[in-house]
Amino acid sequence: MAWITPFQKWHGCVPLTNLACALALQLISLPVWSDTSLTLAEAMEHALAKNPELQVFPLREKALQGKAQTDALRPALEAGIEVENFAGSGDYSGTEAMDTTLSLSSVLELGQKRDARMAVADARLDRLRAEQEVAALDASGEVARRFLDALAAQERLALAREAEKLAGETVQAVKRRAEAGGGSQADVLRAKASLEQARLASAHATSTARANRILLASLWGEAEPDFLTVSGDLLAVGSQEPVAALYERVSRNPSVLRLASETRLKDVEVRMAQANARRDINWSAGVRQLNETDDTALVASMSVPLFSGQRNAGALQAAQAEKDEAAFVQDATLQQLKARLQALHGQRQQSLDEVHALKKSVIPLLEQALQSSRTAFANGQLGYQEWLVSRQELLSARIALLDAADEAHRLRIDIEQLTAEP
Protein backbone atom coordinates (compact mmCIF):
# COMPACT_ATOMS: atom_id res chain seq x y z
CA MET A 1 0.00 0.00 0.00
CA ALA A 2 1.59 3.25 -1.09
CA TRP A 3 1.21 5.67 1.77
CA ILE A 4 1.64 9.05 0.12
CA THR A 5 0.19 10.54 -3.01
CA PRO A 6 2.72 11.39 -5.75
CA PHE A 7 2.02 15.12 -5.70
CA GLN A 8 3.19 17.27 -8.58
CA LYS A 9 4.76 20.71 -8.28
CA TRP A 10 2.37 23.53 -9.14
CA HIS A 11 3.29 26.57 -11.21
CA GLY A 12 4.77 29.28 -9.07
CA CYS A 13 5.63 26.99 -6.18
CA VAL A 14 8.86 27.68 -4.32
CA PRO A 15 11.64 25.21 -5.17
CA LEU A 16 10.89 22.66 -2.49
CA THR A 17 10.31 18.94 -2.69
CA ASN A 18 6.96 17.47 -3.61
CA LEU A 19 5.84 17.22 -0.01
CA ALA A 20 6.04 20.94 0.64
CA CYS A 21 4.59 21.79 -2.76
CA ALA A 22 1.62 19.63 -1.85
CA LEU A 23 0.60 22.50 0.39
CA ALA A 24 -0.48 24.29 -2.79
CA LEU A 25 -3.48 21.98 -2.75
CA GLN A 26 -5.15 24.39 -0.38
CA LEU A 27 -5.31 26.87 -3.27
CA ILE A 28 -7.43 24.61 -5.43
CA SER A 29 -10.82 23.03 -4.99
CA LEU A 30 -10.92 19.87 -2.94
CA PRO A 31 -11.63 16.52 -4.58
CA VAL A 32 -15.03 14.91 -4.30
CA TRP A 33 -14.87 11.25 -3.42
CA SER A 34 -17.48 8.60 -3.90
CA ASP A 35 -20.44 8.32 -1.53
CA THR A 36 -19.20 5.15 0.10
CA SER A 37 -15.43 4.69 -0.23
CA LEU A 38 -12.37 6.84 0.43
CA THR A 39 -8.96 6.40 -1.18
CA LEU A 40 -5.64 7.23 0.41
CA ALA A 41 -5.01 9.94 -2.20
CA GLU A 42 -8.25 11.70 -1.28
CA ALA A 43 -7.52 11.46 2.43
CA MET A 44 -4.02 12.85 1.88
CA GLU A 45 -5.22 15.82 -0.18
CA HIS A 46 -7.91 16.78 2.32
CA ALA A 47 -5.63 16.49 5.33
CA LEU A 48 -2.77 18.48 3.78
CA ALA A 49 -5.12 21.18 2.53
CA LYS A 50 -6.84 21.69 5.89
CA ASN A 51 -4.13 20.86 8.40
CA PRO A 52 -3.81 23.93 10.68
CA GLU A 53 -0.16 23.22 11.47
CA LEU A 54 0.68 23.54 7.77
CA GLN A 55 -1.42 26.63 7.12
CA VAL A 56 0.75 28.76 9.42
CA PHE A 57 3.83 28.40 7.21
CA PRO A 58 2.73 30.88 4.49
CA LEU A 59 2.17 33.44 7.27
CA ARG A 60 5.60 32.77 8.75
CA GLU A 61 7.14 33.10 5.32
CA LYS A 62 5.48 36.48 4.80
CA ALA A 63 6.87 37.63 8.15
CA LEU A 64 10.40 36.54 7.25
CA GLN A 65 10.12 38.15 3.83
CA GLY A 66 9.14 41.40 5.51
CA LYS A 67 12.18 41.18 7.78
CA ALA A 68 14.34 40.39 4.76
CA GLN A 69 13.16 43.59 3.08
CA THR A 70 14.18 45.54 6.17
CA ASP A 71 17.57 43.81 6.36
CA ALA A 72 18.24 44.67 2.71
CA LEU A 73 17.93 48.41 3.37
CA ARG A 74 21.04 50.55 3.46
CA PRO A 75 21.67 52.85 6.45
CA ALA A 76 19.12 55.62 6.53
CA LEU A 77 19.94 59.26 5.83
CA GLU A 78 19.11 61.67 8.65
CA ALA A 79 18.37 65.34 8.18
CA GLY A 80 19.29 67.66 11.05
CA ILE A 81 19.17 71.30 12.03
CA GLU A 82 21.38 72.88 14.66
CA VAL A 83 21.00 76.43 16.01
CA GLU A 84 23.82 78.09 18.02
CA ASN A 85 24.46 81.44 19.70
CA PHE A 86 20.93 82.73 20.22
CA ALA A 87 18.85 83.93 23.16
CA GLY A 88 21.96 84.43 25.24
CA SER A 89 23.28 87.53 26.97
CA GLY A 90 25.25 90.54 25.80
CA ASP A 91 26.37 90.21 22.20
CA TYR A 92 24.52 86.89 21.95
CA SER A 93 21.10 88.14 22.94
CA GLY A 94 18.38 87.83 20.34
CA THR A 95 19.27 86.23 17.03
CA GLU A 96 21.88 88.57 15.63
CA ALA A 97 24.78 86.20 16.38
CA MET A 98 22.79 83.03 15.69
CA ASP A 99 24.39 80.35 13.55
CA THR A 100 22.13 77.79 11.80
CA THR A 101 23.41 74.52 10.39
CA LEU A 102 21.44 72.19 8.09
CA SER A 103 23.02 68.75 7.75
CA LEU A 104 22.65 65.22 6.40
CA SER A 105 24.19 62.30 8.28
CA SER A 106 24.36 58.56 7.95
CA VAL A 107 26.59 55.53 8.52
CA LEU A 108 29.07 54.16 6.03
CA GLU A 109 28.93 50.40 6.62
CA LEU A 110 32.16 48.48 6.18
CA GLY A 111 32.76 44.73 6.06
CA GLN A 112 29.81 43.99 3.73
CA LYS A 113 27.35 44.05 6.62
CA ARG A 114 24.34 44.47 4.33
CA ASP A 115 25.28 41.38 2.33
CA ALA A 116 25.69 39.44 5.57
CA ARG A 117 22.24 40.53 6.79
CA MET A 118 20.65 39.49 3.49
CA ALA A 119 22.42 36.11 3.65
CA VAL A 120 21.04 35.53 7.16
CA ALA A 121 17.53 36.45 5.96
CA ASP A 122 17.78 34.00 3.05
CA ALA A 123 19.07 31.27 5.38
CA ARG A 124 16.13 31.82 7.72
CA LEU A 125 13.73 31.39 4.80
CA ASP A 126 15.50 28.17 3.83
CA ARG A 127 15.18 26.90 7.39
CA LEU A 128 11.48 27.73 7.43
CA ARG A 129 10.95 25.80 4.21
CA ALA A 130 12.82 22.84 5.67
CA GLU A 131 10.58 23.00 8.74
CA GLN A 132 7.63 23.07 6.36
CA GLU A 133 8.94 19.89 4.76
CA VAL A 134 9.15 18.18 8.14
CA ALA A 135 5.64 19.26 9.11
CA ALA A 136 4.22 18.11 5.77
CA LEU A 137 5.95 14.75 6.09
CA ASP A 138 4.71 14.30 9.65
CA ALA A 139 1.17 15.19 8.61
CA SER A 140 1.33 12.76 5.68
CA GLY A 141 2.61 10.01 7.95
CA GLU A 142 -0.26 10.57 10.40
CA VAL A 143 -2.78 10.38 7.54
CA ALA A 144 -1.20 7.13 6.35
CA ARG A 145 -1.30 5.60 9.83
CA ARG A 146 -4.93 6.52 10.46
CA PHE A 147 -5.90 5.35 7.00
CA LEU A 148 -4.15 2.07 7.78
CA ASP A 149 -6.02 1.87 11.10
CA ALA A 150 -9.30 2.27 9.23
CA LEU A 151 -8.35 -0.30 6.60
CA ALA A 152 -7.16 -2.86 9.17
CA ALA A 153 -10.32 -2.38 11.25
CA GLN A 154 -12.37 -2.84 8.09
CA GLU A 155 -10.60 -6.13 7.30
CA ARG A 156 -11.03 -7.35 10.89
CA LEU A 157 -14.72 -6.53 10.65
CA ALA A 158 -15.01 -8.63 7.49
CA LEU A 159 -13.25 -11.48 9.27
CA ALA A 160 -15.53 -11.14 12.30
CA ARG A 161 -18.61 -11.30 10.09
CA GLU A 162 -17.22 -14.37 8.36
CA ALA A 163 -16.64 -15.97 11.76
CA GLU A 164 -20.20 -15.10 12.76
CA LYS A 165 -21.53 -16.70 9.60
CA LEU A 166 -19.45 -19.81 10.20
CA ALA A 167 -20.67 -19.99 13.80
CA GLY A 168 -24.28 -19.84 12.55
CA GLU A 169 -23.64 -22.67 10.11
CA THR A 170 -22.07 -24.66 12.93
CA VAL A 171 -25.18 -24.29 15.08
CA GLN A 172 -27.34 -25.70 12.29
CA ALA A 173 -24.93 -28.59 11.70
CA VAL A 174 -24.79 -29.44 15.41
CA LYS A 175 -28.60 -29.30 15.64
CA ARG A 176 -28.99 -31.68 12.71
CA ARG A 177 -26.54 -34.10 14.23
CA ALA A 178 -28.22 -33.94 17.64
CA GLU A 179 -31.65 -34.55 16.06
CA ALA A 180 -30.19 -37.55 14.26
CA GLY A 181 -28.94 -38.91 17.57
CA GLY A 182 -25.26 -38.34 16.83
CA GLY A 183 -24.65 -35.45 19.21
CA SER A 184 -25.65 -34.09 22.61
CA GLN A 185 -27.74 -31.14 23.66
CA ALA A 186 -24.65 -29.76 25.37
CA ASP A 187 -22.95 -29.47 21.99
CA VAL A 188 -25.92 -27.48 20.70
CA LEU A 189 -25.75 -25.11 23.66
CA ARG A 190 -22.03 -24.63 23.26
CA ALA A 191 -22.50 -23.94 19.55
CA LYS A 192 -25.20 -21.33 20.34
CA ALA A 193 -22.93 -19.70 22.94
CA SER A 194 -20.14 -19.60 20.36
CA LEU A 195 -22.53 -17.91 17.93
CA GLU A 196 -23.43 -15.23 20.48
CA GLN A 197 -19.75 -14.58 21.14
CA ALA A 198 -19.17 -14.25 17.40
CA ARG A 199 -22.02 -11.73 17.21
CA LEU A 200 -20.50 -9.72 20.07
CA ALA A 201 -17.11 -9.78 18.34
CA SER A 202 -18.74 -8.63 15.10
CA ALA A 203 -20.52 -5.76 16.86
CA HIS A 204 -17.26 -4.73 18.54
CA ALA A 205 -15.44 -4.81 15.19
CA THR A 206 -18.21 -2.67 13.65
CA SER A 207 -17.81 -0.06 16.39
CA THR A 208 -14.02 -0.09 16.06
CA ALA A 209 -14.19 0.35 12.29
CA ARG A 210 -16.50 3.34 12.64
CA ALA A 211 -14.29 4.90 15.34
CA ASN A 212 -11.25 4.63 13.08
CA ARG A 213 -13.12 6.29 10.21
CA ILE A 214 -14.05 9.15 12.56
CA LEU A 215 -10.43 9.57 13.66
CA LEU A 216 -9.32 9.63 10.02
CA ALA A 217 -11.91 12.24 9.04
CA SER A 218 -10.94 14.39 12.04
CA LEU A 219 -7.61 15.13 10.34
CA TRP A 220 -9.45 17.48 7.99
CA GLY A 221 -11.91 18.77 10.58
CA GLU A 222 -14.93 16.53 9.99
CA ALA A 223 -16.70 15.17 13.07
CA GLU A 224 -18.74 12.67 11.06
CA PRO A 225 -17.16 10.90 8.07
CA ASP A 226 -19.16 10.95 4.84
CA PHE A 227 -17.61 7.69 3.60
CA LEU A 228 -18.48 4.18 4.70
CA THR A 229 -15.32 2.32 3.73
CA VAL A 230 -11.72 2.94 2.73
CA SER A 231 -10.18 1.51 -0.41
CA GLY A 232 -7.06 -0.61 -0.17
CA ASP A 233 -5.65 -4.13 -0.09
CA LEU A 234 -4.18 -4.79 3.33
CA LEU A 235 -2.55 -8.04 2.24
CA ALA A 236 -0.66 -6.39 -0.65
CA VAL A 237 2.47 -5.85 1.43
CA GLY A 238 4.91 -5.87 -1.50
CA SER A 239 8.62 -6.31 -0.98
CA GLN A 240 11.40 -4.02 0.19
CA GLU A 241 14.60 -2.61 -1.18
CA PRO A 242 18.04 -3.57 0.13
CA VAL A 243 18.95 -1.49 3.15
CA ALA A 244 22.02 -0.13 1.33
CA ALA A 245 19.78 1.56 -1.25
CA LEU A 246 17.72 3.11 1.55
CA TYR A 247 20.86 4.44 3.23
CA GLU A 248 21.56 6.53 0.15
CA ARG A 249 18.21 8.29 0.50
CA VAL A 250 18.08 8.80 4.24
CA SER A 251 20.27 11.91 3.87
CA ARG A 252 17.29 13.52 2.10
CA ASN A 253 15.13 13.15 5.18
CA PRO A 254 13.53 16.55 5.91
CA SER A 255 14.84 16.39 9.48
CA VAL A 256 18.38 16.14 8.14
CA LEU A 257 17.69 18.88 5.59
CA ARG A 258 16.31 21.08 8.35
CA LEU A 259 19.47 20.56 10.38
CA ALA A 260 21.52 21.28 7.26
CA SER A 261 19.64 24.55 6.80
CA GLU A 262 20.26 25.30 10.47
CA THR A 263 23.97 24.72 9.92
CA ARG A 264 23.93 27.07 6.92
CA LEU A 265 22.12 29.69 9.00
CA LYS A 266 24.74 29.46 11.74
CA ASP A 267 27.47 29.74 9.11
CA VAL A 268 26.12 33.00 7.74
CA GLU A 269 25.56 34.25 11.29
CA VAL A 270 29.27 33.70 11.87
CA ARG A 271 30.02 35.78 8.77
CA MET A 272 27.67 38.48 10.01
CA ALA A 273 29.42 38.51 13.40
CA GLN A 274 32.74 38.86 11.56
CA ALA A 275 31.31 41.72 9.51
CA ASN A 276 30.02 43.45 12.64
CA ALA A 277 33.57 43.41 13.99
CA ARG A 278 34.55 45.91 11.27
CA ARG A 279 34.19 49.55 12.31
CA ASP A 280 31.48 51.63 10.66
CA ILE A 281 32.10 55.29 9.83
CA ASN A 282 29.56 57.87 10.99
CA TRP A 283 29.56 60.94 8.74
CA SER A 284 27.73 64.21 8.57
CA ALA A 285 27.80 67.10 6.07
CA GLY A 286 25.86 70.32 5.86
CA VAL A 287 25.64 74.07 5.40
CA ARG A 288 25.99 76.64 8.18
CA GLN A 289 24.40 80.10 8.00
CA LEU A 290 26.24 82.78 10.06
CA ASN A 291 23.73 85.55 10.80
CA GLU A 292 26.33 87.93 12.26
CA THR A 293 28.24 88.21 8.97
CA ASP A 294 25.50 86.90 6.69
CA ASP A 295 27.92 84.29 5.35
CA THR A 296 27.53 80.58 4.68
CA ALA A 297 30.01 77.75 5.16
CA LEU A 298 30.19 74.04 4.59
CA VAL A 299 30.62 71.78 7.61
CA ALA A 300 31.49 68.09 7.78
CA SER A 301 32.30 65.57 10.46
CA MET A 302 33.31 61.94 10.68
CA SER A 303 33.63 59.54 13.63
CA VAL A 304 34.80 55.97 14.09
CA PRO A 305 34.00 53.84 17.17
CA LEU A 306 37.02 52.54 19.03
CA PHE A 307 37.68 48.94 20.05
CA SER A 308 34.61 47.59 18.18
CA GLY A 309 36.44 44.38 17.33
CA GLN A 310 37.07 43.60 20.98
CA ARG A 311 33.47 44.41 21.90
CA ASN A 312 32.23 41.98 19.22
CA ALA A 313 34.58 39.11 20.15
CA GLY A 314 31.99 37.47 22.41
CA ALA A 315 29.30 37.49 19.75
CA LEU A 316 31.70 35.97 17.23
CA GLN A 317 32.71 33.23 19.67
CA ALA A 318 29.06 32.41 20.41
CA ALA A 319 28.15 32.27 16.70
CA GLN A 320 31.07 29.96 15.93
CA ALA A 321 30.14 27.63 18.81
CA GLU A 322 26.51 27.46 17.63
CA LYS A 323 27.69 26.65 14.12
CA ASP A 324 29.89 23.80 15.36
CA GLU A 325 27.04 22.48 17.50
CA ALA A 326 24.62 22.51 14.57
CA ALA A 327 27.08 20.56 12.41
CA PHE A 328 27.61 18.02 15.20
CA VAL A 329 23.86 17.57 15.72
CA GLN A 330 23.37 17.08 11.98
CA ASP A 331 25.96 14.30 11.83
CA ALA A 332 24.61 12.63 14.97
CA THR A 333 21.03 12.76 13.70
CA LEU A 334 22.02 11.20 10.39
CA GLN A 335 23.73 8.33 12.21
CA GLN A 336 20.67 7.81 14.41
CA LEU A 337 18.40 7.76 11.37
CA LYS A 338 20.57 5.14 9.70
CA ALA A 339 20.53 2.98 12.84
CA ARG A 340 16.74 3.27 13.07
CA LEU A 341 16.44 2.47 9.37
CA GLN A 342 18.49 -0.68 9.86
CA ALA A 343 16.23 -1.79 12.73
CA LEU A 344 13.01 -1.02 10.85
CA HIS A 345 14.27 -2.83 7.76
CA GLY A 346 14.90 -6.00 9.75
CA GLN A 347 11.54 -5.80 11.53
CA ARG A 348 9.67 -5.32 8.27
CA GLN A 349 11.44 -8.26 6.67
CA GLN A 350 10.26 -10.40 9.58
CA SER A 351 6.69 -9.18 9.09
CA LEU A 352 6.88 -9.89 5.35
CA ASP A 353 8.14 -13.41 6.05
CA GLU A 354 5.21 -13.97 8.43
CA VAL A 355 2.71 -12.73 5.86
CA HIS A 356 4.08 -14.97 3.13
CA ALA A 357 4.27 -18.02 5.41
CA LEU A 358 0.71 -17.56 6.67
CA LYS A 359 -0.69 -16.94 3.16
CA LYS A 360 1.20 -19.67 1.35
CA SER A 361 1.45 -22.45 3.92
CA VAL A 362 -0.33 -22.10 7.25
CA ILE A 363 -3.77 -20.87 6.19
CA PRO A 364 -4.17 -23.24 3.18
CA LEU A 365 -3.32 -26.19 5.45
CA LEU A 366 -5.76 -25.04 8.13
CA GLU A 367 -8.47 -24.52 5.51
CA GLN A 368 -7.97 -28.11 4.36
CA ALA A 369 -8.04 -29.26 7.98
CA LEU A 370 -11.30 -27.40 8.62
CA GLN A 371 -12.91 -28.87 5.53
CA SER A 372 -11.78 -32.33 6.56
CA SER A 373 -13.10 -31.75 10.10
CA ARG A 374 -16.45 -30.52 8.77
CA THR A 375 -16.81 -33.65 6.63
CA ALA A 376 -15.75 -35.91 9.49
CA PHE A 377 -18.21 -34.19 11.84
CA ALA A 378 -21.05 -34.60 9.36
CA ASN A 379 -20.21 -38.30 9.07
CA GLY A 380 -20.09 -38.74 12.83
CA GLN A 381 -16.39 -39.46 12.83
CA LEU A 382 -15.41 -36.33 14.80
CA GLY A 383 -16.77 -34.60 17.88
CA TYR A 384 -17.91 -31.00 18.15
CA GLN A 385 -14.90 -29.92 20.18
CA GLU A 386 -12.45 -31.21 17.57
CA TRP A 387 -14.35 -29.38 14.85
CA LEU A 388 -14.44 -26.20 16.96
CA VAL A 389 -10.66 -26.37 17.47
CA SER A 390 -10.11 -26.54 13.71
CA ARG A 391 -12.34 -23.54 13.19
CA GLN A 392 -10.61 -21.50 15.90
CA GLU A 393 -7.17 -22.37 14.60
CA LEU A 394 -8.08 -21.08 11.14
CA LEU A 395 -9.64 -17.92 12.58
CA SER A 396 -6.54 -17.29 14.72
CA ALA A 397 -4.27 -17.74 11.70
CA ARG A 398 -6.30 -15.26 9.66
CA ILE A 399 -6.15 -12.75 12.50
CA ALA A 400 -2.39 -13.30 12.69
CA LEU A 401 -2.17 -12.65 8.95
CA LEU A 402 -4.00 -9.34 9.29
CA ASP A 403 -1.77 -8.36 12.22
CA ALA A 404 1.41 -9.23 10.30
CA ALA A 405 0.24 -7.33 7.21
CA ASP A 406 -0.76 -4.36 9.36
CA GLU A 407 2.68 -4.34 10.99
CA ALA A 408 4.43 -4.61 7.61
CA HIS A 409 2.57 -1.53 6.35
CA ARG A 410 3.29 0.46 9.52
CA LEU A 411 6.97 -0.32 9.25
CA ARG A 412 6.89 0.71 5.60
CA ILE A 413 5.37 4.04 6.59
CA ASP A 414 8.16 4.55 9.13
CA ILE A 415 10.81 3.65 6.55
CA GLU A 416 9.33 5.97 3.94
CA GLN A 417 9.27 8.81 6.45
CA LEU A 418 12.95 8.23 7.14
CA THR A 419 13.81 8.21 3.43
CA ALA A 420 11.20 10.85 2.43
CA GLU A 421 10.16 8.67 -0.49
CA PRO A 422 6.53 8.71 -1.69
Side-chain angles (χ1 to χ4, degrees):
M1 179 188 70
W3 69 276
I4 187 167
T5 311
F7 295 112
Q8 295 181 345
K9 294 184 179 180
W10 298 88
H11 178 70
C13 184
V14 293
L16 307 178
T17 64
N18 289 348
L19 270 177
C21 286
L23 299 176
L25 288 167
Q26 60 188 315
L27 304 177
I28 61 174
S29 60
L30 297 176
V32 179
W33 51 61
S34 65
D35 294 335
T36 59
S37 188
L38 174 72
T39 67
L40 178 59
E42 293 164 343
M44 198 72 70
E45 290 178 0
H46 265 64
L48 287 176
K50 295 185 177 182
N51 189 294
E53 294 183 1
L54 300 181
Q55 292 176 347
V56 301
F57 283 99
L59 302 177
R60 293 178 183 175
E61 184 169 359
K62 285 183 179 180
L64 288 179
Q65 288 174 343
K67 293 178 181 179
Q69 291 178 2
T70 301
D71 291 336
L73 296 176
R74 300 182 185 277
L77 286 173
E78 296 183 5
I81 183 171
E82 182 179 355
V83 179
E84 298 178 353
N85 303 330
F86 74 100
S89 61
D91 293 340
Y92 297 100
S93 62
T95 60
E96 291 298 327
M98 182 177 68
D99 296 335
T100 305
T101 304
L102 298 176
S103 65
L104 285 178
S105 62
S106 185
V107 176
L108 181 61
E109 288 187 323
L110 301 180
Q112 297 181 327
K113 292 183 177 64
R114 177 172 174 270
D115 292 341
R117 290 196 304 270
M118 293 173 63
V120 170
D122 290 340
R124 286 173 178 165
L125 280 169
D126 290 340
R127 182 179 62 178
L128 176 66
R129 289 161 184 165
E131 291 173 351
Q132 185 180 22
E133 294 275 357
V134 173
L137 186 63
D138 290 344
S140 300
E142 184 61 23
V143 174
R145 290 184 182 90
R146 293 199 189 184
F147 188 92
L148 180 58
D149 289 339
L151 181 60
Q154 183 175 288
E155 293 295 331
R156 290 186 176 95
L157 173 58
L159 185 58
R161 287 174 174 171
E162 182 180 348
E164 180 183 354
K165 179 182 178 181
L166 183 58
E169 294 173 352
T170 301
V171 170
Q172 298 302 319
V174 172
K175 280 184 178 181
R176 288 193 298 268
R177 182 171 175 178
E179 291 171 355
S184 65
Q185 188 62 28
D187 289 341
V188 176
L189 295 176
R190 282 194 292 267
K192 288 183 177 180
S194 180
L195 175 59
E196 291 302 318
Q197 289 176 328
R199 287 171 177 168
L200 289 174
S202 181
H204 179 75
T206 300
S207 176
T208 301
R210 183 175 183 277
N212 279 283
R213 291 197 301 272
I214 292 175
L215 290 175
L216 175 60
S218 70
L219 291 176
W220 51 87
E222 291 185 1
E224 186 66 30
D226 56 358
F227 55 92
L228 300 178
T229 62
V230 293
S231 300
D233 185 0
L234 186 65
L235 300 184
V237 293
S239 58
Q240 64 177 351
E241 297 180 70
V243 70
L246 299 175
Y247 276 158
E248 297 177 0
R249 296 200 297 268
V250 75
S251 60
R252 296 199 294 268
N253 183 289
S255 296
V256 176
L257 297 179
R258 178 181 60 182
L259 291 173
S261 67
E262 183 74 19
T263 302
R264 288 192 294 271
L265 173 60
K266 296 304 179 182
D267 184 56
V268 295
E269 285 180 348
V270 168
R271 293 202 295 270
M272 186 170 71
Q274 292 171 340
N276 289 336
R278 296 286 303 274
R279 303 184 181 111
D280 292 335
I281 299 175
N282 300 307
W283 62 268
S284 175
V287 178
R288 177 170 295 174
Q289 174 67 37
L290 307 173
N291 279 2
E292 188 173 7
T293 61
D294 197 24
D295 292 325
T296 61
L298 296 178
V299 294
S301 67
M302 183 178 297
S303 64
V304 178
L306 299 177
F307 312 114
S308 59
Q310 296 178 3
R311 298 178 64 86
N312 197 60
L316 179 58
Q317 178 180 340
Q320 184 64 52
E322 291 176 356
K323 172 190 172 183
D324 294 340
E325 179 187 359
F328 177 81
V329 171
Q330 180 183 349
D331 293 338
T333 300
L334 183 58
Q335 293 303 317
Q336 292 173 1
L337 290 177
K338 288 184 176 180
R340 177 165 172 75
L341 180 61
Q342 176 72 35
L344 292 174
H345 189 273
Q347 288 179 292
R348 185 165 191 267
Q349 188 58 55
Q350 177 62 33
S351 297
L352 292 178
D353 293 341
E354 291 179 13
V355 170
H356 294 319
L358 288 167
K359 285 178 64 176
K360 302 297 183 181
S361 301
V362 177
I363 290 179
L365 291 173
L366 290 177
E367 287 175 342
Q368 294 176 17
L370 179 61
Q371 182 61 39
S372 178
S373 298
R374 182 185 290 112
T375 302
F377 178 81
N379 295 333
Q381 299 172 344
L382 194 69
Y384 168 72
Q385 289 296 334
E386 290 80 0
W387 184 22
L388 181 62
V389 168
S390 295
R391 192 183 74 187
Q392 291 299 328
E393 287 178 343
L394 177 58
L395 179 60
S396 297
R398 287 179 174 172
I399 292 175
L401 175 60
L402 293 182
D403 290 341
D406 186 10
E407 182 67 11
H409 285 301
R410 293 185 190 281
L411 291 168
R412 178 177 178 177
I413 292 172
D414 292 341
I415 290 173
E416 289 179 345
Q417 279 201 275
L418 289 180
T419 57
E421 290 293 324

